Amino acid sequence: MANVAKKVSWSGRDRDEEDEPPAAGEATPLLNGASPGAAGGPPHSRPITHSPFLRLGKLSSVDLNDDVRELETEATNQFPSEIPHNEKLLLLKYESLDYDNCENQLFLEEERRINHTAFRTVEIKRWVICAMIGILTGLVACFIDIVVEKLAGLKFRVVKDNIDKFTEKGGLSFSLLLWAILNSSVVMVGSVIVAFIEPVAAGSGIPQIKCYLNGVKIPHVVRLKTLMIKVCGVILSVVGGLAVGKEGPMIHSGAVIAAGISQGRSTSLKRDFKIFEYFRRDTEKRDFVSAGAAAGVSAAFGAPVGGVLFSLEEGASFWNQFLTWRIFFASMISTFTLNSILSFYHGNPWDLSSPGLINFGRFDSEKLGYTFQEIPIFIVMGVVGGILGAIFNALNYWLTMFRIRYIHRPCLQVIEAMLVAAVTAAVGFVMIYCSSDCQPLQGDSVAYPLQLFCADGEYNSMATAFFNTPEKSVVSLFHNPPGSYNPMTLGMFTLMYFFLACWTYGLTVSAGVFIPSLLIGAAWGRLFGISLAYLTSGAIWADPGKYALMGAAAQLGGIVRMTLSLTVIMMEATGNVTYGFPIMLALMTAKIVGDYFVEGLYDMHIQLQSVPFLHWEAPVTSHSLTAREVMSAPVTCLRRIEKVGTVVDILSDTSSNHNGFPVVESSPDPTQVAGLRGLILRSQLIVLLKHKVFVERANLTLVQRRLKLKDFRDAYPRFPPIQSIHVSQDERECMMDLTEFMNPSPYTVPQEASLPRVFKLFRALGLRHLVVVDNHNEVVGLVTRKDLARYRLGKEGLEELSLAQT
């Protein structure tokens, strides 16, 4: 998620209409959401004023429509040389998803009409969708694996033949040039399609899916075009020799597949199959995306249980018991599909021996068991993994900040990716050239053995680490017999690959960090095992392969900070439960040590992208804040029977581009309290205007057309912008009765409620808007995601983030 928006314009919140616009090229100061003149103080409400529409004023969340934003973005071709950015910032461009079902009259009428048989049919459809998610995710994983194997094999054979040829004749510099050019060319294509076609496909996609499941709408994150670019991009990244893996992006790919199948249509292809219409809402789509993420992990590692736990621990912010079994079913189907096709592809159609994209191979626990005395050693390895993971994350943090500020143009991003590919090839070639670690060649254990300056019948050991796909290198470090690697070789490889992987993560390419992390950990873990064997005079328990496994787990845990799911993934990928306890110890220790210094890699990139992500709990020192102090106030309200022209004006007003409007009682008496009657969303109002659901002023009971829920589902998820809806002058004088369409029972809190209580209600129920009322049920403010996310526990206590519009 290291990619940022290419064109950024800064503006503040609550600029008065009399204010002059900022001078050209001048950035408007970032405001923290306070009322004008509050200068950082808590926002306070103002009394309701009765105007043509009830306007309590200040925007609660600024969210421009995607299509309008894209047009404005394309119209601007000026790139600033530097984007001012800091980590203490939240971007207002991120909308929230509607995870709270709107229980209006239409919804309740439909639910009451559905009988028990119809509910069972809906449940069967859910299982069918989960099966389809598993099958398609497995097929995508097969496609990636087979294409990578073919293209990488072709590249390595060409380079190997060239090196063998010039080793005898002299002029190995041509081999270096060939390797660097091949890598750069392939990576250039992969970077161009990401940077210029779909930037959200960059990286592993795990931070974006975490945000989506948390309730944040990341533009384009689950579109078909994103999936196509993701699959092609990850193939080209791995074939291009970058320090990346193809396993992480499978999680994003599975999520996109799930989002598409569950809707029964493709908005990109403009095809509607008229199936699964019941699931066209954010709540249902979220559950299927959780299943898709789990199926992606399952296909990547052959770990269905680990996939479920990953979705629970790292992905989903909302979970229920019924979801667990369906997600496990999708994960099992995904693994079985991949296993069946790859086994058939490798010529073993009845031997299901390829459960995942990477198979760590079986560890013989009879020969390589562990003793009680080794437990402190595993804990020490966890400490090392935590420290190295913290260093990795800290370096990547500063590198990402540099990229956000200076490398924000697509052409610069492509050039950087090509540079990293060329440097990776050059480093690998130089290290192979300088290495004198020659090992005897035994059978076909090495896929592409480079002899270089070794004697006949020997190969260069450094080449098995660099001159191979990262997955094959991990397995060789786990299972090659003792003595296969020189300690100097492992030390130099660990050092160089650590910095290459750190530099690579965050490039504008589709790539994951799982396998590079495992490879770094396996290298220093094997070195650790060699050292132990040397100190204990070759004791049988000090097998380097076992310590390579522990090092890999500790390093990955130190970078991404996963515990439960990663323990099970490692156990399932190795097919050995014996090492479950030491893996768990190493992971827990790595997480504790790493968290002491910096955040995990995914959380760090979410923070750098200024996404309003809500964690499980409110900041621990926030009890002194109340709803009155954190809410957005004043708020734009609508009357229950509102004039069409007023609604159009509110929706067209870009300075107060709300997405939710409290509905208050329509009363001709200005002295009467306008009590809260419900809440209606911008998307619902747009559908009402599009279908012209108006009532004439003379006869308020005459409704021109009765809408059904299908009309709202057909418009989901890309509701048209208000600019595309034409309302005539006569229609502007008509009235809209919102009673049937508003949610008559929105969640409310009193203005004296504490921030932790407000946070818990908002977060646990997946709300988008939480109305703040006084003792007379009068609206005094609105709590949105940004209002809660801007309070964070920093090094010096509770801090309030700035808000910016981009």
Side-chain angles (χ1 to χ4, degrees):
M1 200 166 171
N3 232 51
V4 297
K6 305 183 192 69
K7 309 168 184 68
V8 177
S9 60
W10 300 93
S11 64
R13 240 174 150 186
D14 295 331
R15 292 185 63 85
D16 291 333
E17 290 179 1
E18 302 83 41
D19 289 352
E20 294 181 2
E26 179 185 344
T28 306
L30 300 175
L31 304 180
N32 60 6
S35 301
H44 295 283
S45 60
R46 290 196 282 268
I48 296 178
T49 57
H50 290 272
S51 55
F53 56 89
L54 289 172
R55 181 176 175 82
L56 306 181
K58 173 180 150 191
L59 68 145
S60 57
S61 63
V62 178
D63 293 317
L64 297 179
N65 184 274
D66 283 346
D67 299 328
V68 178
R69 190 193 317 283
E70 286 170 8
L71 291 174
E72 292 174 351
T73 303
E74 288 168 7
T76 307
N77 292 320
Q78 304 252 338
F79 288 95
S81 58
E82 176 186 354
I83 292 182
H85 184 85
N86 64 75
E87 68 277 14
K88 295 183 180 180
L89 187 70
L90 284 184
L91 292 184
L92 293 171
K93 72 170 185 175
Y94 292 110
E95 297 183 21
S96 292
L97 293 161
D98 295 303
Y99 283 167
D100 178 37
N101 285 325
C102 177
E103 292 193 348
N104 55 19
Q105 291 182 24
L106 295 180
F107 178 81
L108 293 176
E109 287 173 8
E110 182 187 78
E111 291 296 309
R112 288 167 187 153
R113 284 197 302 268
I114 298 178
N115 56 26
H116 181 69
T117 305
F119 273 118
R120 289 178 66 88
T121 304
V122 168
E123 188 64 19
I124 291 171
K125 287 181 180 177
R126 287 194 177 99
W127 285 91
V128 170
I129 291 171
C130 286
M132 293 171 67
I133 290 169
I135 292 169
L136 284 181
T137 304
L139 290 174
V140 168
C142 288
F143 176 77
I144 291 174
D145 190 59
I146 292 171
V147 175
V148 165
E149 182 183 334
K150 291 292 185 185
L151 293 181
L154 178 64
K155 185 192 80 170
F156 286 131
R157 280 194 297 272
V158 169
V159 176
K160 179 183 181 303
D161 292 344
N162 191 272
I163 290 176
D164 291 342
K165 172 184 167 186
F166 283 106
T167 302
E168 300 173 4
K169 295 167 55 179
L172 277 171
S173 55
F174 291 105
S175 301
L176 168 60
L177 195 61
L178 174 67
W179 195 0
I181 289 174
L182 281 175
N183 276 15
S184 297
S185 303
V186 173
V187 169
M188 180 188 71
V189 179
S191 184
V192 163
I193 61 175
V194 171
F196 288 95
I197 300 178
E198 197 55 272
V200 79
S204 65
I206 295 175
Q208 289 97 322
I209 296 303
K210 279 189 69 171
C211 292
Y212 181 89
L213 294 174
N214 189 257
V216 183
K217 182 181 179 182
I218 308 293
H220 304 180
V221 72
V222 288
R223 288 195 184 174
L224 178 63
K225 185 168 72 170
T226 304
L227 175 65
M228 304 300 291
I229 300 300
K230 195 85 180 182
V231 170
C232 297
V234 73
I235 290 171
L236 294 168
S237 299
V238 176
V239 172
L242 292 175
V244 298
K246 57 181 183 287
E247 283 68 24
M250 277 307 306
I251 296 160
H252 190 181
S253 301
V256 179
I257 290 168
I261 290 176
S262 64
Q263 303 305 291
R265 68 177 176 189
S266 170
T267 49
S268 300
L269 299 178
K270 295 181 173 55
R271 290 291 304 275
D272 191 342
F273 299 100
K274 305 295 183 183
I275 56 174
F276 308 141
E277 293 177 340
Y278 182 81
F279 305 119
R280 291 178 186 175
R281 51 185 168 176
D282 287 336
T283 318
E284 295 285 353
K285 188 193 277 191
R286 174 196 69 202
D287 291 345
F288 290 119
V289 167
S290 298
V297 175
S298 180
F301 296 98
V305 178
V308 175
L309 293 176
F310 174 87
S311 192
L312 172 62
E313 178 185 15
E314 195 67 15
S317 295
F318 305 93
W319 199 267
N320 63 64
Q321 190 175 3
F322 297 107
L323 194 60
T324 309
W325 190 237
R326 286 201 301 271
I327 289 181
F328 183 57
F329 176 68
S331 298
M332 288 296 296
I333 293 290
S334 174
T335 296
F336 180 76
T337 302
L338 178 81
N339 204 340
S340 302
I341 294 177
L342 285 187
S343 297
F344 184 82
Y345 172 75
H346 293 304
N348 305 311
W350 304 110
D351 181 18
L352 300 178
S353 55
S354 303
L357 293 184
I358 179 171
N359 187 357
F360 294 154
R362 291 195 169 273
F363 284 78
D364 190 348
S365 55
E366 293 182 4
K367 295 180 181 178
L368 304 177
Y370 65 95
T371 61
F372 189 79
Q373 292 85 348
E374 289 180 83
I375 290 177
I377 298 175
F378 299 142
I379 294 175
V380 170
M381 294 185 75
V383 172
V384 174
I387 293 172
L388 289 177
I391 294 171
F392 185 99
N393 291 359
L395 290 174
N396 193 261
Y397 173 87
W398 294 112
L399 183 59
T400 304
M401 285 291 289
F402 178 83
R403 283 176 173 141
I404 290 173
R405 287 174 176 164
Y406 299 104
I407 313 179
H408 46 267
R409 301 186 186 185
C411 53
L412 293 177
Q413 293 168 343
V414 173
I415 290 170
E416 187 198 13
M418 293 174 64
L419 176 64
V420 175
V423 169
T424 303
V427 168
F429 185 88
V430 170
M431 291 188 68
I432 293 171
Y433 182 83
C434 297
S435 172
S436 57
D437 184 9
C438 295
Q439 301 291 337
L441 191 60
Q442 298 173 348
D444 56 353
S445 59
V446 182
Y448 307 103
L450 275 182
Q451 183 178 356
L452 215 58
F453 302 116
C454 295
D456 290 340
E458 293 184 339
Y459 69 97
N460 189 300
S461 182
M462 182 69 83
T464 58
F466 270 110
F467 203 67
N468 220 331
T469 56
E471 290 84 357
K472 299 271 182 61
S473 300
V474 170
V475 174
S476 66
L477 285 168
F478 284 167
H479 293 291
N480 280 11
S484 300
Y485 294 93
N486 187 295
M488 181 63 71
T489 299
L490 291 173
M492 290 300 298
F493 174 78
T494 302
L495 182 66
M496 298 308 300
Y497 207 81
F498 182 91
F499 289 108
L500 286 174
C502 186
W503 189 11
T504 304
Y505 189 78
L507 289 177
T508 312
V509 293
S510 299
V513 76
F514 270 74
I515 297 302
S517 304
L518 290 172
L519 186 51
I520 294 166
W524 68 255
R526 191 174 181 96
L527 181 61
F528 194 91
I530 292 172
S531 304
L532 276 179
Y534 177 77
L535 293 174
T536 57
S537 303
I540 189 169
W541 57 267
D543 182 81
K546 175 173 62 177
Y547 289 98
L549 176 66
M550 298 304 156
Q555 184 65 54
L556 184 53
I559 291 175
V560 300
R561 309 291 160 75
M562 295 189 304
T563 50
L564 177 63
S565 58
L566 198 52
T567 302
V568 176
I569 287 171
M570 297 293 283
M571 285 166 52
E572 289 185 281
T574 55
N576 193 323
V577 75
T578 308
Y579 294 130
F581 182 66
I583 288 173
M584 185 182 71
L585 275 180
L587 284 169
M588 283 179 59
T589 310
K591 176 176 170 57
I592 293 169
V593 172
D595 284 341
Y596 180 78
F597 297 105
V598 292
E599 286 184 299
L601 190 66
Y602 300 141
D603 291 329
M604 189 183 75
H605 277 264
I606 290 172
Q607 181 182 316
L608 281 171
Q609 284 297 296
S610 305
V611 178
F613 186 89
L614 294 181
H615 294 280
W616 289 104
E617 298 287 344
V620 290
T621 59
S622 60
H623 279 84
S624 59
L625 292 172
T626 63
R628 178 198 292 274
E629 294 169 303
V630 304
M631 68 187 183
S632 293
V635 183
T636 301
C637 290
L638 295 172
R639 291 178 294 205
R640 193 169 55 82
I641 299 177
E642 189 60 271
K643 192 176 177 182
V644 172
T646 300
V647 174
V648 172
D649 291 340
I650 292 174
L651 297 182
S652 303
D653 184 6
T654 55
S655 66
S656 59
N657 214 339
H658 305 254
N659 278 291
F661 303 90
V663 179
V664 297
E665 189 55 68
S666 308
S667 173
D669 185 2
T671 62
Q672 186 175 346
V673 174
L676 176 69
R677 291 293 176 266
L679 183 79
I680 194 161
L681 300 175
R682 167 181 288 268
S683 57
Q684 293 173 311
L685 291 171
I686 285 177
V687 173
L688 295 181
L689 290 172
K690 180 182 177 182
H691 291 279
K692 303 194 182 302
V693 185
F694 310 147
V695 293
E696 298 174 8
R697 298 190 68 181
N699 185 1
L700 294 180
T701 62
L702 177 62
V703 180
Q704 289 190 344
R705 178 166 185 260
R706 177 170 173 79
L707 286 188
K708 297 181 179 179
L709 271 184
K710 183 179 185 304
D711 296 301
F712 293 92
R713 288 171 180 160
D714 287 344
Y716 175 85
R718 300 189 201 176
F719 296 97
I722 185 63
Q723 291 83 355
S724 69
I725 296 174
H726 175 70
V727 178
S728 68
Q729 194 61 38
D730 290 339
E731 290 172 334
R732 286 179 62 89
E733 299 302 317
C734 292
M735 305 296 286
M736 291 178 68
D737 188 350
L738 306 179
T739 307
E740 190 178 9
F741 309 103
M742 70 182 186
N743 184 355
S745 54
Y747 291 98
T748 62
V749 290
Q751 53 190 343
E752 293 80 17
S754 67
L755 175 59
R757 191 167 187 80
V758 173
F759 190 99
K760 187 174 293 185
L761 178 66
F762 195 97
R763 175 68 173 75
L765 297 175
L767 302 182
R768 187 175 186 181
H769 304 97
L770 184 59
V771 185
V772 183
V773 296
D774 61 10
N775 295 333
H776 303 290
N777 198 36
E778 184 178 358
V779 179
V780 294
L782 201 65
V783 174
T784 64
R785 171 176 292 273
K786 284 105 178 172
D787 298 317
L788 297 176
R790 63 192 170 126
Y791 292 98
R792 191 178 70 190
L793 192 62
K795 294 181 180 178
E796 299 176 0
L798 194 67
E799 59 185 18
E800 189 175 349
L801 306 184
S802 301
L803 296 175
Q805 180 177 321
T806 178

